[in-house]
Amino acid sequence: MWSFIQNQVLGMKWLNSLIGKLVSASGLDITDKLGGTIHFFIYDVVKIVALLCALIFIISYIQSFFPPERTKKILGRFHGLGANTLAALLGTVTPFCSCSSIPLFIGFTGAGLPLGVTFSFLISSPMVDLGSLVLLMSIFGARVAVVYVVLGLVIAVAGGTLIEKLHLDNQVEEFIRNARHIDIPQAELTVRDRLLYSAEQVQGTLKKVFPYILIGVGVGAFIHNWIPEDLIVRFLGNGNPFGVIIATIAGIPMYADIFGCIPIAEALLAKGAKLGVVLSFMMAVTTLSLPSMIMLRKAVKPKLLGVFAAICTAGIILVGYLFNAIQYLLI
């Protein structure tokens, strides 16, 4: 049963076969570069969009029970490591990219929540949302997905805890620290309201991320069919001990979410890149992209921004080397 779910429901192998037959019927050979590129592109776009719509609807329905006001109240009841852990877990049912998470981070910080707690949320939200769990399962299998999410949560909790211990509250911009917070009673939503909200989130998120899906799948298709395997192996395989560091640095200038990263990661792994290298690239893109760093700089001072970037970078690199070491156990 699990094999069926993994291959046919999440992996959509039936869709891969169907699209392969349709591309072949059009006169193209899916075993050559051009036909293989078209096959990869159509299959991955359709699969990712289908999973995206289903995931956003389900996650948005769950998220409707945790509006910002309620989330603040929940987090305010906890302290220490428990608060950081809860913040990281709540980050899994919030927006898919770091740029969407930053306004929530600013609101939580302005409301007086501990800085470490808000940073645990900020790290986990783009890195280990529920969408990443399901999508990683569809490509890499359940073991890789679960370990990825667990280690991502560890980075979020450890990073938030360390920032709290460094007492960097004075590194938050004045307009946030001095913001006046007014509690507004949250109206209870009906089931119909939650369903409408979820449908609106599907439409809005798909409209926002679809261009990045096309770009990501296009890059993945190019890597999968046109880049020589020995070139990928040379820079990102066993032969290069610095592959994880290269992948992490390469991911920082990019801006995408988990849905745009997945096809690139899939193609790199198929070409011989190490698992840790691929996952480090994904983590760097989703957590440390330059647009999100620029947005975060509006809320925090350079010292705190540098500490945040350093903690995330170190955690991502460590996770990458760990995945490289245990790849034989996971795939």
Side-chain angles (χ1 to χ4, degrees):
M1 178 60 72
W2 176 249
S3 178
F4 175 81
I5 293 173
Q6 172 71 47
N7 294 323
Q8 302 302 329
V9 178
L10 298 177
M12 295 188 186
K13 299 300 183 184
W14 60 270
L15 179 65
N16 185 43
S17 177
L18 175 62
I19 292 176
K21 291 177 181 178
L22 292 174
V23 172
S24 297
S26 69
L28 294 171
D29 183 359
I30 62 173
T31 62
D32 66 21
K33 291 183 177 179
L34 179 60
T37 301
I38 294 173
H39 180 210
F40 184 101
F41 185 85
I42 297 174
Y43 165 62
D44 263 38
V45 168
V46 174
K47 179 182 70 174
I48 290 173
V49 168
L51 286 173
L52 171 65
C53 292
L55 287 169
I56 293 175
F57 189 89
I58 295 169
I59 294 171
S60 296
Y61 191 87
I62 297 172
Q63 187 183 337
S64 69
F65 290 94
F66 299 96
E69 294 299 326
R70 181 172 294 173
T71 303
K72 292 173 193 174
K73 291 179 180 179
I74 293 172
L75 292 176
R77 298 171 188 165
F78 295 83
H79 303 281
L81 187 61
N84 290 88
T85 303
L86 183 60
L89 290 172
L90 285 173
T92 64
V93 290
T94 49
F96 295 106
C97 68
S98 53
C99 288
S100 301
S101 304
I102 289 172
L104 287 175
F105 160 79
I106 292 173
F108 292 160
T109 305
L113 291 176
L115 190 62
V117 172
T118 59
F119 267 97
S120 287
F121 168 86
L122 182 63
I123 295 170
S124 75
S125 182
M127 186 184 290
V128 292
D129 57 72
L130 294 178
S132 67
L133 175 62
V134 176
L135 281 174
L136 285 167
M137 288 173 64
S138 73
I139 302 296
F140 303 116
R143 285 179 290 186
V144 172
V146 171
V147 175
Y148 173 91
V149 169
V150 169
L151 292 177
L153 289 173
V154 169
I155 293 175
V157 174
T161 302
L162 181 56
I163 287 174
E164 188 70 29
K165 297 294 184 184
L166 292 174
H167 303 292
L168 297 172
D169 297 77
N170 63 343
Q171 294 299 306
V172 177
E173 293 291 352
E174 297 292 332
F175 77 93
I176 295 177
R177 285 193 286 147
N178 298 330
R180 291 186 176 182
H181 177 65
I182 302 174
D183 282 322
I184 300 175
Q186 187 72 35
E188 189 65 31
L189 300 177
T190 65
V191 172
R192 183 175 183 275
D193 291 334
R194 298 186 195 282
L195 292 174
L196 289 174
Y197 168 77
S198 301
E200 290 170 359
Q201 288 295 104
V202 171
Q203 183 179 7
T205 305
L206 182 60
K207 183 177 180 180
K208 181 173 67 173
V209 305
F210 188 68
Y212 299 107
I213 293 175
L214 294 180
I215 293 170
V217 174
V219 172
F222 178 77
I223 293 171
H224 191 271
N225 292 280
W226 297 89
I227 301 297
E229 185 172 325
D230 60 341
L231 184 64
I232 299 293
V233 172
R234 186 188 312 165
F235 287 100
L236 302 177
N238 283 326
N240 188 355
F242 301 105
V244 168
I245 298 174
I246 292 172
T248 302
I249 294 173
I252 293 175
M254 299 181 64
Y255 173 64
D257 49 36
I258 192 73
F259 303 104
C261 292
I262 283 287
I264 300 175
E266 179 184 12
L268 287 173
L269 190 67
K271 281 289 186 175
K274 293 287 288 182
L275 179 62
V277 171
V278 170
L279 296 182
S280 293
F281 171 78
M282 289 173 53
M283 284 184 166
V285 171
T286 55
T287 309
L288 294 171
S289 66
L290 284 181
S292 66
M293 291 295 101
I294 293 170
M295 286 183 64
L296 187 58
R297 173 62 187 88
K298 303 291 185 182
V300 303
K301 297 178 181 179
K303 182 178 179 180
L304 180 52
L305 183 66
V307 170
F308 167 76
I311 289 172
C312 290
T313 301
I316 289 169
I317 290 173
L318 287 173
V319 166
Y321 281 113
L322 176 59
F323 267 108
N324 278 353
I326 64 174
Q327 178 172 343
Y328 72 98
L329 296 174
L330 300 174
I331 297 181

